[in-house]
Amino acid sequence: MSKPTDAPSGAPDRDPVQEVRAHLEQAMASLDRLREVLPPPSSMRPPDAADGESA
C-alpha cells in the first residue's frame, strides 16, 4: 500500500499547472537575482559589426 506522498511525480493527484507555476516562479526569482548582480544590458552590448550578420 502506497501513501499519496509516495506517488511518482506523474501521479494524478498532482496539479500540473501548479507544478509549472512553481517552476516559473523559481525561474523569475532567479532572473530577478541576475538583474541585481549583472551590469545593465547597454554596457554589455557588443558593437553592431560584431554580430556576424551583413546588411
Side-chain angles (χ1 to χ4, degrees):
M1 303 201 38
S2 65
K3 300 174 187 171
T5 55
D6 294 340
S9 61
D13 62 335
R14 296 283 304 205
D15 183 5
V17 174
Q18 290 295 337
E19 289 185 32
V20 170
R21 183 171 294 172
H23 285 290
L24 287 173
E25 288 175 355
Q26 290 176 355
M28 292 299 292
S30 296
L31 286 172
D32 287 341
R33 286 193 296 271
L34 284 174
R35 284 190 191 108
E36 292 173 3
V37 299
L38 292 176
S42 60
S43 66
M44 294 179 11
R45 192 167 293 158
D48 292 339
D51 64 3
E53 295 180 5
S54 59

